[in-house]
Amino acid sequence: MTNETTKARTMTVGEALVELLAENGVEVVFGIPGVHTVELYRGLAASPIRHVTPRHEQGAGFMADGYARVSGKPGVALVITGPGLTNTLTAMAQARQDSIPILVISGVNRRDSLGHGRGLLHELPDQQALVKTVALYTHTLLNPDDLGAVVDRAFAVLGSGRPGPVHIEIPTDVMSAPVTLPPTLRTAQATRPRADAETLQKAAILASEARRPVILCGGGAITAEAEIGILADRIGAPVVTTVNARGMMAGSPLRVPASPSLKAVRNLLRDADLVFAFGTEMGQTDYDMYADGGFPLLDRLIRIDIDAMQLARGPHGLMSILSGARMAAAGITSFLPETAAEGGVQRAQATRKAAMKELTAKMRAEIAVVDAIYATLPAATIVGDSTQAVYAGNLYCDAPRARSWFNSATGFGALGYAPPAAVGAAVAAAEEPVICLVGDGGIQFSLAEIGSAADIGAQVIFLVWNNNGYQEIETYMRDNGITPEGVKPGAPDFLKTAEAYGLPARRLAHVDELPAALREASTRKGPSLIEIHETRTAGATA
């Protein structure tokens, strides 16, 4: 896409920023305007970019995150200096941990005040230094003429290496300064690392010699689903998906939609004579959820990742390949015979059965609720918070497609993520329902974002899993001989709260009512709320 005119144009930095965002494919921004950002809004209303207003800047960041996960494009948040940005830091940290591309654009106080501590409104000692702890790239725009280069660099970072949060801050006196845009605007150019043919051929030789191969897929493998599927068929490899890759290989007999923290999956890996790991950091929240140290040492491991630093951190094995997953999978397959190998389907099937069998009856009941959602609304996306039904689904969830199951219960683990992230997801997938699966504790972190969903008519079904507090923490305390304290926060009547925002709401008497309730909610325009109460909804737990 290019924007061509006959001559250069002079406008304010704020107006130019909007044009540059649109040129780079931005269709929506999530933000709360304030005195310290109004100049960035000057050209927004007349642009093709949609603005969505959350109730809190943290919500803006989580909305950008949810939008990015569903759309596959960077989500953009626009926030004020000081508290606006610090409120967004939690969302940036979640995006950093889960490798989600979001662009945060913030204000900062005027240039001549920076670093002087003069007590200006929203002042921080060093705002950029604070953001550097979580951002892949941050820049303070001191010279208006640098705007185009800075925006270009931001989108290049977002699209080239391992994704994550990027930040641009613009001093208030720069926002209204004049800047000249060239006659032709061009989108930023992203480049991804690519392994050489010799390296890929070596990996293919190892794959052809393997008799019990397995493939591990993390969130970085989502865009390579087709290529990894072909590779898996060729070598007869079960494909184990982590939380952020869940839904990949949906329907394939080689899929293993179960956590590597489960014994059944670990046994599969322990028995493997070659393991490919595509786009996964192999972190604790996926591979050692219970911190028992039982994940096997994989000596015959080939890691493929877009991030050289991640490969350097380990674990190490036979090979480390710096490459995008799609190019690597396709390249390795090109050196393999076109006939499919046998044995992988039987190993995958046995692992699926064994993984489900080792789960508790309570977990299976919770997974049945997740299954019921997908069976009723196959096109739905489930956006989860840190709540018990989500924990169970992270252990085993046979999602119908990639990007249809994601949550904050891994990595950074932020509570209150799901309501705003579900709104962002609904903006990206306006034609399909989004299910916000959240606990009574987590939803109170961001309860007001129900209002944001109502404002824009987002088709989000808030499915509240109410267990009267932080039951997961209470159980953990009891299991470790600690008298529970602080785990019973009071909650409002969620039905009345929803109704106060204009949302239709109901509490299920029996979990069997869920499919009908979901179908009814999905036919409405705008959001709604359904509550499953562990003691007041029969069948919610085993």
Side-chain angles (χ1 to χ4, degrees):
M1 171 178 167
T2 59
N3 180 11
E4 296 187 3
T5 63
T6 57
K7 59 181 180 179
R9 295 159 295 140
T10 299
M11 60 190 73
T12 69
V13 164
E15 291 170 320
L17 174 67
V18 171
E19 287 213 16
L20 290 167
L21 292 177
E23 187 62 31
N24 280 280
V26 174
E27 297 175 341
V28 59
V29 297
F30 304 93
I32 301 176
V35 172
H36 287 68
T37 54
V38 290
E39 281 296 333
L40 299 182
Y41 280 75
R42 183 172 292 278
L44 194 57
S47 79
I49 297 176
R50 179 185 183 187
H51 185 274
V52 175
T53 308
R55 294 299 191 269
H56 190 281
E57 289 94 355
Q58 180 174 283
F62 284 147
M63 286 180 187
D65 178 299
Y67 175 88
R69 295 195 198 223
V70 171
S71 70
K73 301 189 296 185
V76 181
L78 184 56
V79 299
I80 66 166
T81 184
L85 185 61
T86 56
N87 284 341
T88 313
L89 280 175
T90 296
M92 294 178 71
Q94 183 76 47
R96 178 66 181 259
Q97 285 284 76
D98 286 351
S99 301
I100 305 302
I102 67 171
L103 172 60
V104 176
I105 301 170
S106 77
V108 71
N109 284 308
R110 64 178 189 261
R111 286 171 290 183
D112 63 4
S113 74
L114 299 180
H116 290 290
R118 292 170 178 159
L120 273 66
L121 181 65
H122 302 328
E123 186 177 57
L124 283 167
D126 189 339
Q127 183 169 284
Q128 190 190 63
L130 186 66
V131 179
K132 278 182 178 178
T133 61
V134 294
L136 297 176
Y137 164 71
T138 177
H139 184 90
T140 304
L141 187 69
L142 300 177
N143 183 349
D145 292 334
D146 290 338
L147 176 65
V150 170
V151 171
D152 186 82
R153 192 176 306 132
F155 279 95
V157 171
L158 286 165
S160 296
R162 183 181 180 183
V166 167
H167 170 244
I168 299 171
E169 62 179 12
I170 305 177
T172 53
D173 60 320
V174 174
M175 294 177 187
S176 57
V179 65
T180 300
L181 288 182
T184 302
L185 299 181
R186 291 184 173 86
T187 56
Q189 298 300 306
T191 57
R192 294 186 180 277
R194 184 173 193 154
D196 60 89
E198 183 180 354
T199 297
L200 298 177
Q201 186 177 29
K202 181 180 177 182
I205 292 171
L206 292 170
S208 66
E209 294 172 346
R211 295 296 173 263
R212 299 180 307 281
V214 176
I215 295 175
L216 292 169
C217 286
I222 287 178
T223 58
E225 181 176 13
E227 291 80 4
I228 291 174
I230 295 171
L231 173 62
D233 285 335
R234 293 279 180 88
I235 65 176
V239 179
V240 178
T241 51
T242 65
V243 171
N244 285 330
R246 202 61 56 79
M248 281 184 64
M249 305 287 291
S252 168
L254 289 170
R255 77 195 186 285
V256 180
S259 170
S261 294
L262 293 174
K263 293 178 182 177
V265 178
R266 290 177 171 184
N267 288 339
L268 174 72
L269 294 166
R270 190 175 287 110
D271 182 60
D273 57 0
L274 185 69
V275 176
F276 283 99
F278 285 92
T280 172
E281 67 177 353
M282 304 187 75
Q284 180 180 339
T285 55
D286 272 313
Y287 290 83
D288 196 14
M289 187 183 300
Y290 300 109
D292 59 11
F295 188 77
L297 179 65
L298 304 177
D299 292 328
R300 298 189 63 78
L301 172 68
I302 299 176
R303 289 194 70 187
I304 300 96
D305 205 282
I306 205 169
D307 183 2
M309 288 296 293
Q310 188 58 51
L311 291 173
R313 294 185 188 105
H316 304 290
L318 291 173
M319 297 178 67
S320 292
I321 302 176
L322 181 64
S323 176
R326 180 186 297 172
M327 290 181 287
I332 293 168
T333 303
S334 69
F335 291 106
L336 295 170
E338 294 189 7
T339 55
E342 298 179 354
V345 170
Q346 292 78 10
R347 289 187 295 133
Q349 182 181 41
T351 303
R352 291 195 300 272
K353 289 182 178 180
M356 181 61 76
K357 187 176 180 180
E358 73 179 86
L359 300 177
T360 66
K362 181 177 182 296
M363 289 174 179
R364 287 196 293 270
E366 291 160 349
I367 291 169
V369 171
V370 173
D371 290 342
I373 295 172
Y374 285 129
T376 306
L377 302 175
T381 296
I382 299 179
V383 182
D385 211 83
S386 292
T387 191
Q388 289 193 315
V390 172
Y391 298 142
N394 283 348
L395 286 172
Y396 196 110
C397 171
D398 204 357
R401 65 192 179 283
R403 303 185 191 275
S404 65
W405 170 270
F406 59 86
N407 54 77
S408 62
T410 61
F412 199 58
L415 275 168
Y417 165 87
V423 174
V427 171
E431 302 303 316
E432 306 296 346
V434 173
I435 312 300
C436 171
L437 184 52
V438 61
D440 56 300
I443 194 172
Q444 292 186 79
F445 276 59
S446 52
L447 185 59
E449 301 302 352
I450 289 177
S452 303
D455 283 350
I456 62 172
Q459 193 161 9
V460 178
I461 302 171
F462 294 93
L463 183 55
V464 181
W465 193 278
N466 191 340
N467 55 26
N468 295 320
Y470 304 135
Q471 191 177 99
E472 187 77 13
I473 304 303
E474 180 179 355
T475 300
Y476 186 85
M477 294 174 85
R478 293 188 187 280
D479 289 347
N480 286 273
I482 302 169
T483 302
E485 184 65 53
V487 294
K488 293 293 184 183
D493 184 322
F494 292 111
L495 274 63
K496 292 180 179 178
T497 302
E499 290 166 2
Y501 280 106
L503 276 64
R506 63 178 290 187
R507 179 181 297 117
L508 303 185
H510 195 285
V511 75
D512 289 347
E513 298 173 359
L514 180 60
L518 290 170
R519 282 191 291 269
E520 181 183 0
S522 69
T523 62
R524 302 191 192 101
K525 296 290 185 181
S528 54
L529 184 143
I530 300 169
E531 182 185 85
I532 296 177
H533 198 288
E534 282 205 340
T535 59
R536 298 168 68 179
T537 301
T541 58

Coordinates of all heavy atoms in Angstrom, one line a residue, residues 61 64-65 68-69 72-77 88-105 131-138 153-168 192 219-220 281 305-307:
G61 N -3.9 -1.7 26.6 CA -2.8 -2.6 26.3 C -3.3 -4.0 26.1 O -2.9 -4.7 25.1
A64 N -5.2 -4.3 22.8 CA -4.2 -4.4 21.7 C -3.7 -5.8 21.6 O -3.5 -6.3 20.5 CB -3.1 -3.3 21.9
D65 N -3.4 -6.4 22.7 CA -2.9 -7.8 22.7 C -3.9 -8.8 22.1 O -3.6 -9.6 21.3 CB -2.6 -8.1 24.2 CG -2.1 -9.6 24.4 OD1 -2.8 -10.5 24.1 OD2 -1.0 -9.7 24.9
A68 N -4.2 -8.3 18.4 CA -3.0 -8.8 17.7 C -3.1 -10.4 17.6 O -2.7 -10.9 16.6 CB -1.7 -8.4 18.4
R69 N -3.5 -11.0 18.6 CA -3.5 -12.5 18.6 C -4.5 -13.0 17.6 O -4.2 -14.1 17.0 CB -3.8 -13.0 20.0 CG -2.8 -12.7 21.1 CD -3.0 -13.5 22.3 NE -2.3 -13.0 23.4 CZ -1.6 -13.7 24.3 NH1 -1.4 -15.0 24.1 NH2 -1.0 -13.1 25.3
G72 N -3.4 -11.3 13.8 CA -2.1 -11.5 13.3 C -1.3 -10.3 13.0 O -0.2 -10.3 12.5
K73 N -1.9 -9.1 13.3 CA -1.3 -7.8 13.0 C -1.0 -7.1 14.3 O -1.6 -7.4 15.4 CB -2.2 -6.9 12.1 CG -2.6 -7.6 10.8 CD -3.3 -6.6 9.9 CE -4.6 -6.2 10.5 NZ -5.4 -5.3 9.6
P74 N -0.1 -6.2 14.4 CA 0.2 -5.5 15.6 C -1.0 -4.7 16.1 O -1.8 -4.1 15.4 CB 1.3 -4.5 15.2 CG 2.0 -5.1 14.0 CD 0.9 -5.7 13.3
G75 N -1.2 -4.8 17.5 CA -2.3 -4.0 18.1 C -1.6 -2.7 18.6 O -0.5 -2.7 18.9
V76 N -2.4 -1.6 18.6 CA -1.9 -0.3 18.9 C -2.6 0.3 20.1 O -3.9 0.3 20.1 CB -2.0 0.6 17.7 CG1 -1.4 2.0 18.0 CG2 -1.2 0.0 16.5
A77 N -1.9 0.8 21.1 CA -2.5 1.5 22.2 C -2.0 2.9 22.3 O -0.8 3.1 22.0 CB -2.2 0.7 23.5
T88 N -0.2 0.9 31.6 CA -0.1 0.0 30.4 C 1.1 -1.0 30.5 O 1.1 -2.0 29.8 CB 0.1 0.8 29.1 OG1 -0.9 1.9 29.1 CG2 -0.1 0.0 27.8
L89 N 1.9 -0.8 31.5 CA 3.1 -1.6 31.6 C 2.8 -3.1 31.8 O 3.5 -4.0 31.3 CB 4.1 -1.1 32.7 CG 4.9 0.1 32.3 CD1 5.7 0.6 33.6 CD2 5.9 -0.2 31.2
T90 N 1.8 -3.4 32.6 CA 1.4 -4.8 32.9 C 1.1 -5.5 31.6 O 1.5 -6.6 31.3 CB 0.3 -4.8 33.8 OG1 0.7 -4.3 35.1 CG2 -0.2 -6.3 34.0
A91 N 0.3 -4.8 30.7 CA -0.1 -5.4 29.4 C 1.1 -5.5 28.5 O 1.3 -6.5 27.8 CB -1.1 -4.5 28.7
M92 N 2.1 -4.6 28.6 CA 3.3 -4.7 27.8 C 4.1 -5.9 28.3 O 4.7 -6.6 27.5 CB 4.1 -3.4 27.9 CG 3.4 -2.2 27.3 SD 4.4 -0.7 27.4 CE 5.8 -1.1 26.3
A93 N 4.1 -6.1 29.6 CA 4.9 -7.2 30.1 C 4.3 -8.6 29.7 O 5.0 -9.5 29.4 CB 5.0 -7.1 31.6
Q94 N 2.9 -8.7 29.7 CA 2.3 -9.9 29.2 C 2.6 -10.1 27.8 O 2.9 -11.3 27.4 CB 0.8 -9.8 29.4 CG 0.0 -11.0 29.1 CD 0.1 -12.1 30.1 OE1 -0.1 -11.9 31.3 NE2 0.4 -13.3 29.6
A95 N 2.6 -9.1 27.0 CA 2.9 -9.2 25.5 C 4.3 -9.6 25.3 O 4.6 -10.4 24.4 CB 2.6 -7.9 24.8
R96 N 5.2 -9.1 26.2 CA 6.6 -9.5 26.1 C 6.8 -11.0 26.4 O 7.5 -11.7 25.6 CB 7.5 -8.6 27.0 CG 9.0 -9.0 27.1 CD 9.7 -8.6 25.7 NE 11.1 -8.9 25.8 CZ 12.1 -8.0 25.9 NH1 11.8 -6.8 26.1 NH2 13.3 -8.4 25.9
Q97 N 6.2 -11.5 27.4 CA 6.3 -12.9 27.8 C 5.7 -13.8 26.7 O 6.2 -14.9 26.5 CB 5.6 -13.1 29.1 CG 6.4 -12.6 30.3 CD 7.6 -13.5 30.7 OE1 8.6 -13.4 30.0 NE2 7.4 -14.3 31.7
D98 N 4.6 -13.4 26.1 CA 3.9 -14.2 25.1 C 4.3 -13.9 23.7 O 3.7 -14.5 22.8 CB 2.4 -14.1 25.3 CG 1.9 -14.8 26.6 OD1 2.7 -15.6 27.2 OD2 0.7 -14.7 26.9
S99 N 5.2 -13.0 23.5 CA 5.7 -12.6 22.1 C 4.5 -12.1 21.2 O 4.3 -12.6 20.1 CB 6.4 -13.8 21.5 OG 7.5 -14.3 22.2
I100 N 3.8 -11.2 21.7 CA 2.7 -10.6 21.0 C 3.1 -9.2 20.6 O 3.5 -8.3 21.4 CB 1.4 -10.5 21.9 CG1 1.1 -11.9 22.5 CG2 0.2 -9.9 21.2 CD1 0.9 -13.0 21.5
P101 N 2.9 -8.9 19.3 CA 3.3 -7.6 18.8 C 2.3 -6.5 19.1 O 1.2 -6.4 18.5 CB 3.4 -7.8 17.2 CG 2.3 -8.9 17.0 CD 2.4 -9.7 18.2
I102 N 2.6 -5.6 20.0 CA 1.8 -4.4 20.3 C 2.7 -3.1 20.2 O 3.9 -3.2 20.6 CB 1.1 -4.5 21.6 CG1 2.0 -4.4 22.8 CG2 0.2 -5.7 21.7 CD1 1.3 -4.3 24.1
L103 N 2.1 -2.1 19.7 CA 2.8 -0.8 19.6 C 2.1 0.2 20.6 O 0.9 0.4 20.5 CB 2.7 -0.2 18.2 CG 3.2 1.2 18.0 CD1 4.6 1.4 18.4 CD2 3.0 1.7 16.6
V104 N 2.8 0.7 21.6 CA 2.3 1.6 22.6 C 2.8 3.0 22.2 O 4.1 3.2 22.2 CB 2.6 1.2 24.0 CG1 2.2 2.3 25.0 CG2 2.0 -0.2 24.3
I105 N 2.0 3.9 22.0 CA 2.4 5.3 21.7 C 1.9 6.1 22.9 O 0.7 6.2 23.2 CB 1.7 5.8 20.4 CG1 2.2 4.9 19.2 CG2 2.1 7.3 20.2 CD1 1.4 5.2 18.0
V131 N 10.2 2.1 30.6 CA 9.7 1.3 29.6 C 10.7 0.3 29.0 O 10.4 -0.8 28.5 CB 9.1 2.1 28.4 CG1 8.5 1.3 27.3 CG2 8.0 3.1 29.0
K132 N 12.0 0.7 29.0 CA 13.0 -0.2 28.5 C 13.1 -1.5 29.1 O 13.6 -2.5 28.5 CB 14.4 0.5 28.6 CG 14.7 1.5 27.6 CD 16.1 2.1 27.8 CE 16.5 3.1 26.7 NZ 17.8 3.7 26.9
T133 N 12.6 -1.7 30.3 CA 12.6 -3.0 31.0 C 11.7 -4.0 30.4 O 11.9 -5.2 30.6 CB 12.3 -2.8 32.5 OG1 10.9 -2.3 32.6 CG2 13.2 -1.8 33.2
V134 N 10.7 -3.5 29.6 CA 9.8 -4.5 29.0 C 9.7 -4.4 27.5 O 9.3 -5.3 26.8 CB 8.4 -4.4 29.6 CG1 8.3 -4.8 31.0 CG2 7.8 -3.0 29.4
A135 N 10.1 -3.2 26.9 CA 9.9 -3.0 25.5 C 11.1 -3.6 24.7 O 12.2 -3.5 25.1 CB 9.7 -1.5 25.2
L136 N 10.8 -4.1 23.5 CA 11.8 -4.5 22.6 C 12.6 -3.3 22.0 O 13.8 -3.3 21.7 CB 11.2 -5.3 21.4 CG 10.5 -6.6 21.7 CD1 9.9 -7.2 20.4 CD2 11.5 -7.6 22.3
Y137 N 11.8 -2.2 21.9 CA 12.4 -1.0 21.3 C 11.6 0.2 21.8 O 10.4 0.1 21.9 CB 12.4 -1.0 19.8 CG 12.5 0.3 19.1 CD1 13.8 0.9 19.1 CD2 11.5 1.0 18.4 CE1 14.0 2.2 18.4 CE2 11.7 2.2 17.8 CZ 12.9 2.8 17.8 OH 13.1 4.0 17.1
T138 N 12.3 1.3 22.3 CA 11.6 2.5 22.7 C 12.3 3.7 22.2 O 13.6 3.7 22.2 CB 11.4 2.5 24.2 OG1 10.8 3.8 24.6 CG2 12.7 2.4 25.0
R153 N 11.0 2.2 11.9 CA 11.8 1.3 12.7 C 10.9 0.5 13.7 O 11.1 -0.7 13.9 CB 12.8 2.1 13.5 CG 13.9 1.3 14.2 CD 14.9 2.1 14.9 NE 15.5 3.1 13.9 CZ 15.6 4.4 14.2 NH1 15.2 4.9 15.4 NH2 16.1 5.2 13.3
A154 N 9.9 1.2 14.2 CA 9.0 0.5 15.1 C 8.3 -0.7 14.4 O 8.2 -1.8 15.0 CB 7.9 1.4 15.7
F155 N 7.8 -0.5 13.3 CA 7.1 -1.5 12.5 C 8.0 -2.6 12.0 O 7.7 -3.8 11.9 CB 6.2 -1.0 11.4 CG 4.9 -0.4 11.9 CD1 4.7 0.9 12.2 CD2 3.8 -1.3 12.1 CE1 3.5 1.4 12.7 CE2 2.6 -0.8 12.6 CZ 2.4 0.5 12.9
A156 N 9.2 -2.2 11.7 CA 10.3 -3.2 11.3 C 10.6 -4.1 12.5 O 10.7 -5.3 12.3 CB 11.5 -2.5 10.8
V157 N 10.7 -3.6 13.7 CA 11.0 -4.4 14.8 C 9.8 -5.3 15.1 O 9.9 -6.5 15.4 CB 11.3 -3.5 16.1 CG1 11.3 -4.3 17.3 CG2 12.6 -2.8 15.9
L158 N 8.6 -4.8 15.0 CA 7.4 -5.6 15.3 C 7.2 -6.8 14.3 O 6.7 -7.8 14.7 CB 6.1 -4.7 15.1 CG 5.9 -3.7 16.3 CD1 4.8 -2.7 15.9 CD2 5.4 -4.4 17.5
G159 N 7.7 -6.6 13.1 CA 7.5 -7.6 12.1 C 8.7 -8.5 11.7 O 8.6 -9.4 10.9
S160 N 9.9 -8.2 12.3 CA 11.1 -8.9 11.9 C 11.5 -10.0 12.8 O 11.6 -11.2 12.4 CB 12.2 -7.9 11.7 OG 12.0 -7.0 10.7
G161 N 11.8 -9.7 14.1 CA 12.3 -10.8 15.0 C 11.2 -11.3 15.8 O 10.0 -11.4 15.5
R162 N 11.6 -11.8 17.0 CA 10.6 -12.3 17.9 C 9.7 -11.1 18.3 O 10.1 -10.1 18.8 CB 11.3 -12.9 19.2 CG 10.3 -13.5 20.2 CD 11.1 -14.0 21.4 NE 10.1 -14.6 22.4 CZ 10.5 -15.1 23.5 NH1 11.8 -15.1 23.9 NH2 9.6 -15.6 24.4
P163 N 8.4 -11.3 18.2 CA 7.5 -10.1 18.4 C 7.4 -9.8 19.9 O 7.8 -10.5 20.8 CB 6.1 -10.7 18.0 CG 6.4 -11.8 17.1 CD 7.7 -12.4 17.6
G164 N 6.9 -8.6 20.2 CA 6.7 -8.1 21.6 C 6.3 -6.7 21.5 O 5.9 -6.1 20.5
P165 N 6.3 -6.0 22.7 CA 5.9 -4.6 22.7 C 6.9 -3.6 22.3 O 8.1 -3.8 22.5 CB 5.6 -4.4 24.2 CG 6.5 -5.4 24.9 CD 6.6 -6.6 24.0
V166 N 6.5 -2.6 21.5 CA 7.4 -1.6 21.1 C 6.7 -0.3 21.5 O 5.5 -0.1 21.6 CB 7.5 -1.6 19.5 CG1 8.1 -0.3 19.0 CG2 8.3 -2.8 19.1
H167 N 7.6 0.7 21.8 CA 7.1 2.0 22.4 C 7.6 3.2 21.7 O 8.8 3.3 21.4 CB 7.4 2.0 23.9 CG 7.2 3.3 24.6 ND1 8.2 4.1 25.1 CD2 6.0 4.0 24.8 CE1 7.6 5.2 25.7 NE2 6.3 5.1 25.5
I168 N 6.8 4.2 21.4 CA 7.2 5.5 21.0 C 6.6 6.5 21.9 O 5.4 6.5 22.2 CB 6.7 5.8 19.5 CG1 7.3 4.8 18.6 CG2 7.1 7.2 19.1 CD1 6.7 4.9 17.2
R192 N 13.0 -11.4 8.1 CA 13.1 -12.5 9.1 C 14.4 -13.4 8.8 O 14.7 -13.5 7.6 CB 11.9 -13.4 9.1 CG 10.6 -12.6 9.5 CD 9.4 -13.6 9.6 NE 8.2 -12.9 10.1 CZ 7.9 -12.7 11.3 NH1 8.7 -13.0 12.3 NH2 6.8 -12.0 11.7
G219 N 3.9 -20.7 20.3 CA 3.2 -19.7 19.7 C 3.9 -19.1 18.4 O 3.2 -18.7 17.5
G220 N 5.2 -19.3 18.3 CA 5.9 -18.8 17.2 C 5.7 -19.7 16.0 O 6.2 -19.4 14.9
E281 N 9.8 -21.1 23.6 CA 10.9 -20.8 24.5 C 11.1 -21.9 25.5 O 12.1 -21.9 26.2 CB 10.7 -19.5 25.2 CG 9.5 -19.5 26.2 CD 9.3 -18.2 27.0 OE1 10.2 -17.4 26.9 OE2 8.4 -18.1 27.7
D305 N 14.1 -21.3 16.0 CA 13.5 -20.1 16.6 C 14.0 -18.8 15.8 O 15.0 -18.8 15.3 CB 13.9 -20.0 18.1 CG 12.9 -19.1 18.9 OD1 12.9 -17.9 18.8 OD2 12.1 -19.7 19.6
I306 N 13.2 -17.8 15.9 CA 13.5 -16.6 15.2 C 14.4 -15.6 16.1 O 14.9 -14.6 15.6 CB 12.1 -15.8 14.9 CG1 12.3 -14.9 13.7 CG2 11.6 -15.1 16.1 CD1 11.0 -14.4 13.2
D307 N 14.6 -16.0 17.3 CA 15.3 -15.2 18.3 C 16.6 -15.9 18.6 O 16.6 -16.9 19.3 CB 14.4 -15.0 19.5 CG 15.1 -14.1 20.5 OD1 16.2 -13.6 20.3 OD2 14.5 -13.9 21.6

